[in-house]
C-alpha cells in the first residue's frame, strides 16, 4: 500500500505530433502542459520510457506537498500502457498514485469526474493502461460530449475542439488542473465533492 512519501505519476493521455495537438483526444496533454507550467518545468524525454516527463513538487508547503512526475506518453493513445508502466517501475510509483487525465465521451463538454479504478468505457488509452497494470489508478475524466449526428466516434475525438468550445477551453483545462492538485493535496473524496459535475 502506498504512503504519503511515495511519488505521484500524473499522465496526460494524447497522441504525439503537431497534427493532433488541438484534438479533443489530446485534452490530457493540454492539462499536463498546464500543470508543468504551474510547477515551473519543461517536458523532456524520459530515460527509460517512450514518454516526455517533468519532475517537481506540487501542492502547498508542508505535509501536503507531493513529489510528482508529469508524463505525456509518446506512443500513440492505444499503446499508452507500455510507457506508463515503464515510468511506474522506474520511479517506483504505487498504482494508486497514478492519475490518468483523459477525454470522456459520456460526459457533457467541460464536465469533470474524478474516480479511482473502474472500466475503460471504450477509451483506448485506458484500455492499454489497464491491460498493462490493472485498473486501480485514478482518472480525471474530462467531458467532451458525444459526436453530433452520425459522425463516427474516431472522427470526433480526432477533430479539434469547435470554435464555440475553444472559447471555454482555457478555463476548463485550468479547472481540470486544479482538480488534480486538489486530489493530491486533499484526497479523492474532497476533490470529487469540489469538482465532479
Amino acid at each position: 500500500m502506498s504512503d504519503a512519501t511515495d511519488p505521484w505519476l500524473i499522465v496526460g493521455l494524447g497522441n504525439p505530433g503537431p497534427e493532433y495537438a488541438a484534438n479533443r483526444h489530446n485534452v490530457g496533454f493540454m492539462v499536463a502542459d498546464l500543470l508543468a507550467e504551474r510547477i515551473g518545468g519543461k517536458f523532456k524525454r524520459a530515460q527509460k520510457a517512450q514518454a516526455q516527463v517533468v519532475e517537481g513538487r506540487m501542492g502547498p508547503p508542508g505535509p501536503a506537498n507531493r513529489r510528482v512526475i508529469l508524463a505525456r506518453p509518446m506512443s500513440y493513445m492505444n499503446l499508452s500502457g507500455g510507457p506508463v508502466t515503464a515510468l511506474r517501475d522506474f520511479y517506483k510509483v504505487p498504482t494508486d498514485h497514478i492519475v490518468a487525465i483523459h477525454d470522456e465521451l459520456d460526459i457533457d463538454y467541460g464536465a469533470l469526474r474524478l474516480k479511482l479504478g473502474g472500466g475503460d468505457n471504450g477509451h483506448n488509452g485506458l484500455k492499454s493502461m489497464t491491460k498493462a497494470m490493472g485498473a486501480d489508478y485514478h482518472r480525471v475524466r474530462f467531458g467532451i460530449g458525444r459526436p453530433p449526428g452520425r459522425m463516427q466516434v474516431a472522427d470526433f475525438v480526432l477533430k479539434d475542439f469547435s470554435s464555440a468550445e475553444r472559447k471555454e477551453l482555457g478555463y476548463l483545462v485550468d479547472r481540470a488542473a486544479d482538480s488534480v492538485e486538489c486530489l493530491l493535496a486533499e484526497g479523492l473524496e474532497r476533490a470529487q465533492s469540489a469538482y465532479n459535475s
Side-chain angles (χ1 to χ4, degrees), residues 10-13 27-37 43 70-72 101 173:
I10 299 164
V11 182
L13 292 179
V27 75
F29 274 19
M30 296 173 196
V31 178
D33 288 346
L34 179 57
L35 287 167
E37 207 178 288
F43 280 101
L70 295 170
R72 300 191 308 186
I101 308 165
V173 166

Side-chain angles (χ1 to χ4, degrees), residues 110-167:
L112 292 176
R113 302 265 168 79
L114 284 77
K115 67 180 209 168
L116 174 62
D120 57 54
N121 214 12
H123 192 287
N124 289 330
L126 297 183
K127 204 175 282 182
S128 177
M129 283 179 62
T130 297
K131 188 175 175 195
M133 61 186 192
D136 296 330
Y137 54 90
H138 288 85
R139 297 100 194 273
V140 174
R141 303 158 74 205
F142 187 109
I144 60 168
R146 301 292 307 179
R150 296 180 176 209
M151 188 189 284
Q152 293 295 312
V153 164
D155 295 333
F156 179 69
V157 300
L158 293 175
K159 278 206 171 13
D160 291 359
F161 285 101
S162 70
S163 55
E165 288 170 336
R166 282 199 299 273
K167 288 190 175 80

Side-chain angles (χ1 to χ4, degrees), residues 24-172:
R24 292 182 177 94
H25 222 18
N26 271 42
V27 75
F29 274 19
M30 296 173 196
V31 178
D33 288 346
L34 179 57
L35 287 167
E37 207 178 288
R38 287 183 182 185
I39 65 172
K42 288 216 182 320
F43 280 101
K44 59 186 191 306
R45 250 185 83 219
Q47 292 174 316
K48 303 288 182 185
Q50 191 183 357
Q52 294 178 337
V53 293
V54 175
E55 294 178 60
R57 299 198 76 85
M58 190 179 283
N65 190 262
R66 306 282 182 237
R67 181 174 163 234
V68 296
I69 301 98
L70 295 170
R72 300 191 308 186
M74 290 288 111
S75 60
Y76 284 94
M77 179 72 89
N78 59 346
L79 300 172
S80 301
V84 175
T85 305
L87 291 169
R88 177 198 69 178
D89 295 347
F90 179 70
Y91 289 105
K92 299 180 173 48
V93 179
T95 305
D96 67 348
H97 272 214
I98 296 173
V99 182
I101 308 165
H102 64 92
D103 58 306
E104 178 61 67
L105 287 158
D106 286 335
I107 302 174
D108 290 341
Y109 174 63
L112 292 176
R113 302 265 168 79
L114 284 77
K115 67 180 209 168
L116 174 62
D120 57 54
N121 214 12
H123 192 287
N124 289 330
L126 297 183
K127 204 175 282 182
S128 177
M129 283 179 62
T130 297
K131 188 175 175 195
M133 61 186 192
D136 296 330
Y137 54 90
H138 288 85
R139 297 100 194 273
V140 174
R141 303 158 74 205
F142 187 109
I144 60 168
R146 301 292 307 179
R150 296 180 176 209
M151 188 189 284
Q152 293 295 312
V153 164
D155 295 333
F156 179 69
V157 300
L158 293 175
K159 278 206 171 13
D160 291 359
F161 285 101
S162 70
S163 55
E165 288 170 336
R166 282 199 299 273
K167 288 190 175 80
E168 281 186 287
L169 187 59
Y171 164 75
L172 297 170

